[in-house]
Amino acid sequence: METVIRQPDEQSLAHAKEIINKGGLVAFKTETVYGLGANAFNEQAVKDIFTVKGRPADNPLIVHLADKSQILWVAKSIPPLAKKLIDEFLPGALTLILERADNVPSVISAGLSTIAVRVPSDKTANAFIAWAGVPIAAPSANTSTRPSPTTALDVYEDLKGKIELILDGGECTIGLESTVIDARTETPVILRHGGVTVEQIEKVLKVKVKTNISDPKKPIAPGMKYRHYAPNALMYYVSYDKPEMVEKLYMQCQPQKTVVMAIENTLPAPKDYQNFCSLGIDARDAAHNLFRVLRELEKQYEVIIAYACQEEGLGVSVNSRMKHAAGENII
Ligand code: TXA
Ligand code: MG
């Protein structure tokens, strides 16, 4: 199958609609990362997403809607807490876990009784979903375990020959995935850190939110138990409070094959490293750049030493991705 990359216009959107109608897959830009979409009501098309990505069947998908008024197409009800989050953050980088409506195939949720719902704010995503005219089930458009795609070319690198069309809306603004929050209960639980920060959510809800992320034996968001976002290189994650460990690790590596990656002005002496990759000047930049940089660095180096961001705001989300990418190598 030939994979074409097109900017969103009437012709390509009509083509996208046609592909979705006949049960095919379309990759599309969102404000977080590129998604790989299928008609959420077409069970076979949803199954094909898992096949194309090589995704484990127990890792549920998010359903994307063009407008927040459509949430009851896929969810049974909107509890008061969810209503507040919807009013404040949607459209945007927040995914809500709600009770799944009976007409939504359970394969999307990997058999769970819940459904993850997201309304993107990006204009390419919205145009595509609106044209398709159905809710769109979509994970990130990378091969499972690879860094998520933030450009059409990243999608092409992973999925060429496997899908017909990539809707190219340019580089994703946020650069990492949405925050996933269980919004069914009085006390909200964050299942994945992402584009909307804990601080932003707490400010709106005026309660402390819980997180259920670090216990790999009991993750409520099944996706968080897998090694993820991993580049084809040996990657180390060094915590923000241990900057001296970056140098120690570096001393054990071959300088020409090794790169140190960090936000500017956070490591004591970045000039000491033969290869230093800046993630930008703050956590927002790091979120925007991380996945793209991982895809670039894996082509040039054998070892990536990633120095964490401060554990606040978007830094928490960036650190979570870096840790997953590093697998066991967390210092
Ligand atoms: O920003 C995003 O969320 C991107 C764009 C394309 O929208 N999508 C994305 O999808 O990151 P994916 O499939 O790569 O990650 C979805 C996450 C996984 O960790 C999955 O386990 C969790 O959401 N999830 C999905 N449905 C769930 C459910 N019913 N209950 C708990 N967690 C769920
Ligand atoms: Mg993903």
Side-chain angles (χ1 to χ4, degrees):
M1 177 187 306
E2 197 200 345
T3 303
V4 297
I5 302 179
R6 293 276 179 272
Q7 302 201 342
D9 56 26
E10 283 210 3
Q11 209 184 0
S12 62
L13 288 166
H15 184 203
K17 176 186 168 73
E18 204 180 292
I19 295 171
I20 293 297
N21 279 349
K22 67 170 203 242
L25 310 183
V26 173
F28 60 102
K29 185 204 168 198
T30 84
E31 71 278 27
T32 56
V33 299
Y34 273 71
L36 176 62
N39 177 356
F41 291 131
N42 182 328
E43 200 170 330
Q44 185 55 51
V46 173
K47 285 185 182 158
D48 289 345
I49 293 179
F50 286 87
T51 312
V52 163
K53 269 185 69 91
R55 182 179 177 105
D58 66 349
N59 190 4
L61 307 177
I62 297 172
V63 171
H64 296 66
L65 302 165
D67 192 277
K68 53 185 170 183
S69 63
Q70 299 164 343
I71 291 174
L72 289 173
W73 286 8
V74 295
K76 269 196 180 135
S77 60
I78 300 177
L81 170 83
K83 169 93 174 53
K84 269 194 200 167
L85 294 170
I86 291 165
D87 288 346
E88 185 66 27
F89 295 110
L90 300 195
L94 187 70
T95 294
L96 304 178
I97 305 297
L98 299 169
E99 290 301 328
R100 176 163 53 84
D102 295 331
N103 56 334
V104 179
S106 72
V107 59
I108 294 182
S109 314
L112 299 171
S113 63
T114 51
I115 187 80
V117 184
R118 169 156 140 68
V119 182
S121 61
D122 181 73
K123 68 177 196 300
T124 302
N126 289 340
F128 163 61
I129 303 163
W131 270 76
V134 287
I136 295 289
S140 48
N142 50 308
T143 300
S144 212
T145 79
R146 298 270 303 136
S148 299
T150 57
T151 66
L153 281 178
D154 293 345
V155 179
Y156 190 77
E157 183 174 73
D158 280 15
L159 301 182
K160 73 167 171 293
K162 297 185 173 171
I163 57 173
E164 268 180 67
L165 176 64
I166 302 170
L167 286 175
D168 180 0
E171 214 176 287
C172 299
T173 43
I174 297 177
L176 52 69
E177 297 86 344
S178 61
T179 300
V180 179
I181 188 163
D182 190 339
R184 293 172 300 157
T185 51
E186 295 270 301
T187 323
V189 186
I190 293 187
L191 308 181
R192 177 178 73 180
H193 290 294
V196 173
T197 66
V198 174
E199 291 88 338
Q200 286 174 298
I201 293 172
E202 289 185 338
K203 194 167 166 206
V204 167
L205 297 182
K206 301 187 178 63
V207 290
K208 272 257 166 244
V209 298
K210 290 194 206 157
T211 51
N212 185 327
I213 287 154
S214 53
D215 183 355
K217 292 196 203 87
K218 264 198 330 192
I220 305 181
M224 299 313 281
K225 76 181 176 223
Y226 297 107
R227 181 160 187 224
H228 246 161
Y229 319 121
N232 288 320
L234 178 62
M235 177 154 159
Y236 291 97
Y237 171 93
V238 179
S239 310
Y240 186 75
D241 59 355
K242 296 181 189 154
E244 73 286 353
M245 289 307 294
V246 172
E247 202 186 333
K248 276 205 180 135
L249 262 178
Y250 183 77
M251 301 299 272
Q252 296 164 19
C253 302
Q254 286 180 278
Q256 69 280 12
K257 295 182 181 168
T258 304
V259 60
V260 173
M261 177 175 95
I263 292 179
E264 269 165 51
N265 303 320
T266 56
L267 276 176
K271 292 212 171 63
D272 290 354
Y273 307 115
Q274 186 174 324
N275 306 300
F276 177 76
C277 172
S278 165
L279 281 172
I281 60 163
D282 55 20
R284 180 168 295 275
D285 282 354
H288 179 77
N289 294 326
L290 177 68
F291 287 137
R292 180 183 47 79
V293 160
L294 288 179
R295 282 176 182 262
E296 281 168 15
L297 297 183
E298 71 178 5
K299 297 182 180 83
Q300 302 170 55
Y301 303 104
E302 287 177 12
V303 181
I304 301 171
I305 302 174
Y307 179 52
C309 308
Q310 211 164 343
E311 276 284 324
E312 61 180 31
L314 271 180
V316 177
S317 310
V318 174
N319 289 348
S320 130
R321 302 307 185 276
M322 284 186 186
K323 277 188 213 158
H324 269 91
E328 311 272 291
N329 305 322
I330 296 176
I331 289 155

